[in-house]
Coordinates of all heavy atoms in Angstrom, one line a residue:
E217 N 54.2 21.2 17.6 CA 55.3 20.4 18.1 C 56.5 21.4 18.3 O 57.2 21.2 19.4 CB 55.7 19.4 17.0 CG 56.9 18.5 17.4 CD 57.2 17.5 16.4 OE1 56.5 17.4 15.4 OE2 58.3 16.8 16.6
F218 N 56.8 22.3 17.4 CA 57.9 23.2 17.6 C 57.6 24.2 18.7 O 58.5 24.5 19.5 CB 58.3 23.9 16.3 CG 59.5 24.8 16.4 CD1 60.7 24.2 16.7 CD2 59.4 26.2 16.3 CE1 61.9 25.0 16.8 CE2 60.6 26.9 16.4 CZ 61.8 26.3 16.7
A219 N 56.4 24.6 18.8 CA 56.0 25.5 19.9 C 56.3 24.8 21.3 O 56.8 25.4 22.2 CB 54.5 25.8 19.8
R220 N 56.0 23.5 21.4 CA 56.2 22.8 22.6 C 57.7 22.8 23.0 O 58.1 23.0 24.1 CB 55.7 21.4 22.5 CG 56.0 20.5 23.7 CD 55.5 21.1 25.0 NE 54.0 21.3 25.0 CZ 53.4 22.1 25.8 NH1 54.1 22.8 26.7 NH2 52.1 22.2 25.8
R221 N 58.6 22.6 22.0 CA 60.0 22.6 22.2 C 60.4 24.0 22.7 O 61.2 24.1 23.7 CB 60.8 22.4 20.9 CG 60.7 20.9 20.4 CD 61.4 20.8 19.1 NE 62.9 21.1 19.2 CZ 63.7 21.2 18.1 NH1 63.2 21.1 16.9 NH2 65.0 21.4 18.3
C222 N 59.9 25.1 22.1 CA 60.3 26.4 22.5 C 59.8 26.7 23.9 O 60.5 27.3 24.8 CB 59.7 27.4 21.5 SG 60.5 27.4 19.9
L223 N 58.5 26.4 24.2 CA 57.9 26.6 25.5 C 58.6 25.9 26.6 O 58.9 26.4 27.7 CB 56.4 26.3 25.5 CG 55.6 27.1 24.5 CD1 54.2 26.4 24.3 CD2 55.4 28.5 25.0
D224 N 59.0 24.6 26.3 CA 59.7 23.8 27.3 C 61.1 24.4 27.6 O 61.6 24.3 28.7 CB 59.9 22.4 26.8 CG 58.6 21.6 26.9 OD1 57.6 22.1 27.5 OD2 58.5 20.5 26.3
A225 N 61.7 25.1 26.6 CA 63.0 25.7 26.8 C 62.8 27.1 27.5 O 63.9 27.7 27.9 CB 63.7 26.0 25.5
G226 N 61.6 27.5 27.8 CA 61.4 28.8 28.5 C 61.3 30.0 27.5 O 61.3 31.1 28.0
Y227 N 61.2 29.8 26.2 CA 61.2 30.9 25.3 C 59.7 31.4 25.2 O 58.8 30.7 25.6 CB 61.6 30.5 23.9 CG 63.0 29.9 23.9 CD1 63.4 28.9 22.9 CD2 64.0 30.3 24.8 CE1 64.6 28.4 22.9 CE2 65.3 29.7 24.8 CZ 65.6 28.8 23.8 OH 66.8 28.2 23.8
V228 N 59.6 32.7 24.8 CA 58.3 33.4 24.6 C 58.0 33.4 23.1 O 58.8 33.7 22.3 CB 58.4 34.8 25.2 CG1 57.1 35.6 24.9 CG2 58.7 34.7 26.7
L229 N 56.7 33.1 22.8 CA 56.3 33.1 21.5 C 55.5 34.4 21.2 O 54.8 34.9 22.1 CB 55.3 31.9 21.2 CG 55.8 30.5 21.6 CD1 54.8 29.5 21.1 CD2 57.2 30.3 21.0
S230 N 55.7 35.0 20.0 CA 55.0 36.2 19.6 C 54.2 35.9 18.4 O 54.7 35.6 17.4 CB 56.1 37.3 19.3 OG 55.4 38.6 19.1
F231 N 52.9 36.1 18.6 CA 51.9 35.8 17.5 C 51.5 37.0 16.8 O 51.1 38.0 17.4 CB 50.7 35.1 18.1 CG 50.9 33.7 18.7 CD1 50.9 33.5 20.0 CD2 51.2 32.7 17.8 CE1 51.2 32.2 20.5 CE2 51.5 31.4 18.3 CZ 51.5 31.2 19.7
A232 N 51.7 37.0 15.5 CA 51.3 38.1 14.6 C 50.0 37.8 13.9 O 49.3 36.8 14.2 CB 52.4 38.3 13.5
G233 N 49.6 38.6 12.9 CA 48.4 38.4 12.3 C 48.2 37.1 11.6 O 47.1 36.7 11.3
T234 N 49.3 36.4 11.3 CA 49.3 35.1 10.6 C 48.5 34.1 11.4 O 47.9 33.2 10.8 CB 50.7 34.6 10.4 OG1 51.5 34.8 11.6 CG2 51.4 35.3 9.2
V235 N 48.4 34.3 12.7 CA 47.7 33.3 13.5 C 46.2 33.4 13.3 O 45.4 32.4 13.5 CB 48.0 33.5 15.0 CG1 47.2 34.7 15.6 CG2 47.6 32.2 15.8
T236 N 45.7 34.5 12.7 CA 44.3 34.7 12.4 C 43.9 34.1 11.0 O 42.7 34.0 10.7 CB 43.9 36.1 12.4 OG1 44.4 36.8 11.2 CG2 44.4 36.9 13.6
F237 N 44.9 33.6 10.2 CA 44.6 33.1 8.9 C 43.9 31.7 9.0 O 44.4 30.9 9.8 CB 45.9 33.0 8.0 CG 46.6 34.3 7.8 CD1 47.8 34.4 7.2 CD2 46.0 35.6 8.1 CE1 48.5 35.6 7.0 CE2 46.6 36.8 7.9 CZ 47.9 36.8 7.3
K238 N 42.9 31.5 8.2 CA 42.1 30.3 8.4 C 42.9 29.0 8.1 O 42.6 28.0 8.7 CB 40.9 30.4 7.4 CG 39.9 31.4 7.8 CD 38.7 31.5 6.9 CE 37.7 32.5 7.3 NZ 36.6 32.6 6.3
N239 N 43.9 29.1 7.2 CA 44.7 27.9 6.9 C 45.9 27.7 7.8 O 46.7 26.8 7.5 CB 45.1 27.9 5.4 CG 46.0 29.1 5.1 OD1 46.2 30.0 5.9 ND2 46.6 29.2 3.9
A240 N 46.1 28.5 8.8 CA 47.3 28.4 9.7 C 47.0 27.4 10.8 O 47.2 27.8 12.0 CB 47.6 29.8 10.2
R241 N 46.8 26.2 10.5 CA 46.4 25.2 11.5 C 47.5 24.9 12.5 O 47.3 24.8 13.7 CB 46.0 23.9 10.9 CG 44.7 24.0 10.0 CD 44.2 22.7 9.5 NE 43.0 22.9 8.7 CZ 43.0 23.2 7.4 NH1 44.1 23.4 6.7 NH2 41.8 23.3 6.8
G242 N 48.8 24.9 12.0 CA 49.9 24.7 12.9 C 50.0 25.8 13.9 O 50.3 25.6 15.1
L243 N 49.8 27.1 13.5 CA 49.9 28.2 14.4 C 48.7 28.2 15.4 O 48.9 28.6 16.5 CB 49.8 29.5 13.6 CG 51.1 30.0 13.0 CD1 50.9 31.3 12.2 CD2 52.2 30.3 14.1
H244 N 47.6 27.8 14.9 CA 46.4 27.6 15.8 C 46.8 26.7 16.9 O 46.5 26.9 18.1 CB 45.2 27.1 15.1 CG 44.7 28.1 14.0 ND1 43.9 27.7 13.0 CD2 45.1 29.4 13.7 CE1 43.7 28.7 12.2 NE2 44.4 29.7 12.6
D245 N 47.4 25.5 16.6 CA 47.8 24.6 17.6 C 48.8 25.2 18.6 O 48.7 25.0 19.8 CB 48.4 23.3 17.0 CG 47.4 22.5 16.2 OD1 46.2 22.7 16.4 OD2 47.8 21.7 15.3
A246 N 49.7 25.9 18.0 CA 50.7 26.6 18.9 C 50.1 27.6 19.8 O 50.4 27.6 21.0 CB 51.8 27.3 18.0
A247 N 49.1 28.3 19.3 CA 48.5 29.3 20.2 C 47.6 28.7 21.3 O 47.6 29.2 22.4 CB 47.7 30.3 19.3
R248 N 47.0 27.6 21.0 CA 46.2 26.9 21.9 C 47.0 26.4 23.1 O 46.5 26.3 24.3 CB 45.4 25.8 21.3 CG 44.2 26.2 20.4 CD 43.4 25.1 20.0 NE 42.3 25.4 19.0 CZ 42.4 25.3 17.7 NH1 43.5 24.7 17.2 NH2 41.4 25.6 16.9
I249 N 48.2 25.8 22.8 CA 49.0 25.2 23.9 C 49.9 26.1 24.7 O 50.5 25.7 25.7 CB 49.8 24.0 23.4 CG1 50.9 24.5 22.5 CG2 48.9 23.0 22.6 CD1 51.9 23.5 22.1
S250 N 50.0 27.4 24.2 CA 50.9 28.3 24.9 C 50.3 28.8 26.2 O 49.2 29.4 26.2 CB 51.2 29.5 24.0 OG 51.8 29.1 22.8
P251 N 51.0 28.7 27.3 CA 50.4 29.1 28.6 C 50.3 30.6 28.6 O 51.2 31.3 28.1 CB 51.4 28.6 29.6 CG 52.4 27.8 28.9 CD 52.3 28.0 27.5
L252 N 49.3 31.2 29.3 CA 49.3 32.6 29.6 C 50.7 32.9 30.3 O 51.1 32.2 31.2 CB 48.2 32.9 30.5 CG 46.8 32.8 29.9 CD1 45.7 33.1 31.0 CD2 46.6 33.7 28.7
G253 N 51.3 34.0 29.9 CA 52.6 34.4 30.5 C 53.7 34.0 29.6 O 54.9 34.3 29.9
Q254 N 53.5 33.2 28.5 CA 54.6 32.8 27.7 C 54.3 33.1 26.2 O 55.0 32.6 25.3 CB 54.8 31.3 27.8 CG 56.3 30.9 27.7 CD 56.6 29.5 28.2 OE1 55.9 28.9 28.9 NE2 57.7 29.0 27.7
F255 N 53.4 34.1 26.0 CA 53.2 34.6 24.6 C 52.8 36.0 24.7 O 52.2 36.5 25.6 CB 52.3 33.7 23.8 CG 50.8 33.8 24.3 CD1 49.9 34.8 23.7 CD2 50.3 32.9 25.2 CE1 48.6 34.8 24.1 CE2 49.0 33.0 25.6 CZ 48.1 33.9 25.1
V256 N 53.2 36.7 23.6 CA 52.9 38.1 23.4 C 52.2 38.2 22.0 O 52.1 37.3 21.3 CB 54.1 39.1 23.5 CG1 54.6 39.1 24.9 CG2 55.2 38.7 22.5
V257 N 51.8 39.4 21.7 CA 51.1 39.7 20.4 C 51.8 40.8 19.7 O 52.3 41.8 20.3 CB 49.6 40.0 20.6 CG1 48.9 40.3 19.3 CG2 48.9 38.8 21.3
E258 N 51.9 40.7 18.4 CA 52.6 41.7 17.6 C 51.8 42.0 16.3 O 51.0 41.2 15.9 CB 54.0 41.3 17.3 CG 54.1 40.0 16.4 CD 55.5 39.8 15.9 OE1 56.2 39.1 16.6 OE2 55.7 40.2 14.7
T259 N 52.2 43.0 15.5 CA 51.7 43.2 14.2 C 52.7 42.9 13.1 O 52.3 42.4 12.0 CB 51.2 44.7 14.0 OG1 52.3 45.6 14.3 CG2 50.0 45.0 14.8

């Protein structure tokens, strides 16, 4: 839900290693809905 707010505003999301954690369901949802071109990856 918060990812959608950020994406609709034109912001870029940066996904760290936390997105790989098994219990990070909210982050998994955010990563699935982020369009190519609107997210980067970091450590």
Side-chain angles (χ1 to χ4, degrees):
E217 181 181 354
F218 186 62
R220 176 56 62 198
R221 289 176 65 191
C222 293
L223 294 167
D224 287 349
Y227 304 150
V228 175
L229 311 186
S230 185
F231 292 109
T234 45
V235 76
T236 72
F237 298 170
K238 292 181 179 179
N239 61 349
R241 294 183 180 85
L243 278 179
H244 299 163
D245 292 341
R248 287 190 184 98
I249 68 170
S250 297
L252 294 176
Q254 216 168 338
F255 67 92
V256 292
V257 178
E258 63 169 89
T259 55

